[in-house]
Amino acid sequence: MTSPVSHHEIRDRFSRAMSAMYQAEVPQYETLLELVAEVNRETLARDPELAERLEAHDELNRLGVERHGAIRVGSAEELAMLRRLFAVMGMFPVGYYDLSEAGVPVHSTAFRPIDDEALARNPFRVFTSLLRLELVENAELRERAADILAKRDIFTPGAREMIELSERQGGLTDEQADRFVTEALETFRWHQDATVDLETYEALHAEHRLIADVVCFHGPHINHLTPRTLDIDEAQRRMPAAGMNPKEVIEGPPHRDCPILLRQTSFKALEEPVRFAGEHQGTHTARFGEIEQRGVALTAEGRALYDRLLAESRRRTAGLDNTEHQRVLGEVFADFPDTEAELRRQGLAFFEYRLTEAGREAGVVIETELETLIEQGLVVARPITYEDFLPVSAAGIFQSNLGGGGNDAYAGNANRDAFEAALGAQVTDELALYGERERLSREAVLEALGG
């Protein structure tokens, strides 16, 4: 085989091709991209310090190409094959998310690149959920759905061929990579024809709209693609003027001086015409446009504090509009330190350490306390961007765009072992990734200083 194309290059080609396809399928997504680009340009112009920091941290180049998508599959076989498909692009399962805790009958992982070089090139992620038919109490409906899923193949023969070829020869040539992208894209394409009759669709829809979305179509159509904004509050404010109907509230933490984790919003799902078996016409609502704003990754201690405050805020914000919701959220999160220095000193967030120019010229330094070295101007700490997701936020987005809330009968059913058995692999713990990155950077700085 001639020199293989890098996983990064294939991922970049695929994410751009998917974005082009989704723009053609959902024209409002193109409007969303334009709005986010405009907000980002204005934010950077207004805040030169932010622009300089993003440039220094290699984050500016990735901003324009950054996307995450989301799909939902119906069987272990589909999930396991997707794992192999994403591996061709250097994307691996990170994190286990139990959405049943919010009344949604799925559990999930995020396929994404994991090393610094890959994330800098293109941090494309796909949040992938597996339907949990075992949570459906109606046995007849459960078996009906399983039979429908067993009869479909969401991958083209060409996609299977390219995946197997990549595994066999350790990569793909340039021409093979292009064919892989073309074939793999078909798995994520929208199909206007359902695979079931209207009666079956309505029965599954009545159980939960997400079940109907997963079971009744030819494949796991991409249900949203998400650009990254630097100011999600401004993007949310501008959406109506751009012809988009935003969801009621922004999911995740409130606006902060030092952003943490992930904030998400979206325009509401489109009602799309569908042709059911027997030539019956109907509609389906599933696909929407989402925006995200990413902050620093939190340690286990930071996540525990975040989860406690989020639970408290959810009790106090039920039914409020976005303005009041964000105000109350801000009040509750006043207990969460809002400077990088305090987050670092209290061990609430992950940081990467690098030598400053003065540190590189300092020679041997005996001091090994990082805070002291930072105060002396020899070391700088940069926040590590959160690359993952939040189950409560994901469920909130799902529920907003599927209409209505969750089903309490599904709640409290986390089963990571079953998910990993379906996946055919273990998921990587995201906190371990951030912790290892911080540890290696700390050791490298101290070694360079002779400490």
Side-chain angles (χ1 to χ4, degrees):
M1 181 178 77
T2 57
S3 229
V5 177
S6 75
H7 297 310
H8 310 330
E9 173 63 24
I10 299 175
R11 182 174 66 258
D12 190 56
R13 291 183 194 181
F14 182 82
S15 68
R16 292 175 188 275
M18 182 178 281
S19 186
M21 180 184 77
Y22 201 63
Q23 284 182 64
E25 291 181 348
V26 182
Q28 268 197 325
Y29 169 65
E30 185 174 2
T31 306
L32 186 73
L33 291 181
E34 292 168 356
L35 185 152
V36 168
E38 178 182 65
V39 169
N40 287 348
R41 280 194 304 270
E42 292 177 10
T43 303
L44 291 169
R46 190 171 61 248
D47 191 348
E49 188 178 325
L50 172 64
E52 189 177 318
R53 187 164 70 248
L54 290 175
E55 180 71 41
H57 294 173
D58 303 321
E59 295 248 346
L60 207 52
N61 288 335
R62 78 179 227 181
L63 184 63
V65 299
E66 185 158 359
R67 301 282 186 278
H68 92 248
I71 58 171
R72 305 151 187 160
V73 295
S75 68
E77 292 76 15
E78 291 176 352
L79 181 67
M81 193 64 181
L82 275 173
R83 174 180 57 80
R84 295 169 62 192
L85 182 148
F86 286 124
V88 175
M89 297 183 272
M91 299 164 68
F92 307 98
V94 178
Y96 171 75
Y97 304 92
D98 171 32
L99 271 63
S100 76
E101 68 180 57
V104 180
V106 300
H107 46 185
S108 316
T109 192
F111 289 97
R112 70 168 179 87
I114 56 177
D115 63 62
D116 292 353
E117 179 189 358
L119 288 165
R121 174 66 188 274
N122 188 326
F124 181 56
R125 319 164 185 84
V126 179
F127 189 81
T128 302
S129 299
L130 174 63
L131 180 62
R132 303 186 64 187
L133 284 178
E134 77 275 11
L135 298 182
V136 177
E137 292 181 354
N138 184 321
E140 182 185 349
L141 195 63
R142 188 168 62 241
E143 290 169 14
R144 197 164 159 194
D147 287 344
I148 295 166
L149 290 169
K151 292 172 183 171
R152 76 178 186 183
D153 187 350
I154 66 173
F155 305 96
T156 68
R160 290 181 177 275
E161 179 189 345
M162 289 297 102
I163 291 167
E164 290 165 6
L165 184 62
S166 177
E167 292 170 343
R168 192 165 62 246
Q169 63 187 22
L172 298 173
T173 65
D174 188 68
E175 184 179 338
Q176 291 165 349
D178 280 343
R179 187 180 172 210
F180 166 81
V181 169
T182 299
E183 296 287 349
L185 206 61
E186 292 305 308
T187 294
F188 304 88
R189 190 179 297 281
W190 168 251
H191 296 280
Q192 208 167 28
D193 291 314
T195 58
V196 302
D197 58 35
L198 184 58
E199 179 189 359
T200 300
Y201 173 85
E202 288 177 342
L204 293 168
H205 191 278
E207 172 66 24
H208 196 289
R209 289 189 181 199
L210 184 142
I211 299 175
D213 182 60
V214 174
V215 174
C216 298
F217 295 89
H218 291 277
H221 37 260
I222 192 81
N223 59 65
H224 65 267
L225 276 180
T226 305
R228 179 179 171 187
T229 185
L230 298 172
D231 187 345
I232 199 167
D233 299 283
E234 182 60 19
Q236 169 97 346
R237 190 186 68 77
R238 295 188 189 186
M239 285 169 76
M244 289 174 272
N245 180 22
K247 70 185 297 295
E248 285 78 7
V249 298
I250 296 171
E251 300 286 346
H255 173 82
R256 293 164 45 89
D257 292 334
C258 182
I260 58 172
L261 296 174
L262 176 68
R263 303 179 74 203
Q264 296 170 279
T265 190
S266 70
F267 65 71
K268 292 198 174 174
L270 311 174
E271 189 171 277
E272 303 182 81
V274 172
R275 186 165 48 245
F276 293 96
E279 295 300 311
H280 288 105
Q281 297 293 324
T283 60
H284 179 64
T285 305
R287 300 193 303 158
F288 54 94
E290 185 178 288
I291 307 172
E292 67 182 20
Q293 181 173 359
R294 292 187 173 270
V296 62
L298 299 184
T299 62
E301 294 79 9
R303 277 302 297 269
L305 177 57
Y306 170 79
D307 289 342
R308 179 173 66 78
L309 295 177
L310 184 68
E312 181 183 340
S313 71
R314 285 169 69 82
R315 286 192 295 271
R316 292 178 51 185
T317 57
L320 298 181
D321 64 21
N322 189 59
T323 301
E324 281 300 294
H325 178 276
Q326 291 298 309
R327 183 187 64 77
V328 174
L329 198 60
E331 289 177 1
V332 173
F333 271 80
D335 289 340
F336 204 113
D338 197 14
T339 67
E340 290 181 9
E342 277 307 303
L343 290 174
R344 194 175 65 247
R345 289 176 187 135
Q346 295 187 34
L348 299 175
F350 289 106
F351 290 83
E352 185 176 50
Y353 299 96
R354 295 184 181 181
L355 293 177
T356 63
E357 188 65 35
R360 286 190 287 272
E361 296 173 355
V364 176
V365 176
I366 297 175
E367 178 61 58
T368 59
E369 176 55 52
L370 278 171
E371 286 302 317
T372 303
L373 292 169
I374 291 170
E375 290 169 9
Q376 292 173 347
L378 303 180
V379 172
V380 65
R382 57 170 281 197
I384 295 177
T385 299
Y386 186 64
E387 306 287 354
D388 297 287
F389 298 92
L390 301 168
V392 173
S393 294
I397 294 283
F398 279 16
Q399 290 163 352
S400 175
N401 288 288
L402 289 164
N407 183 336
D408 290 340
Y410 303 141
N413 282 284
N415 195 336
R416 179 170 178 157
D417 289 344
F419 184 84
E420 291 181 332
L423 182 67
Q426 290 187 321
V427 299
T428 299
D429 180 79
E430 65 274 25
L431 294 185
L433 288 176
Y434 299 123
E436 180 70 358
R437 185 171 168 186
E438 182 178 85
R439 183 185 67 79
L440 291 174
S441 73
R442 181 191 298 114
E443 290 178 356
V445 162
L446 294 177
E447 183 180 352
L449 291 172

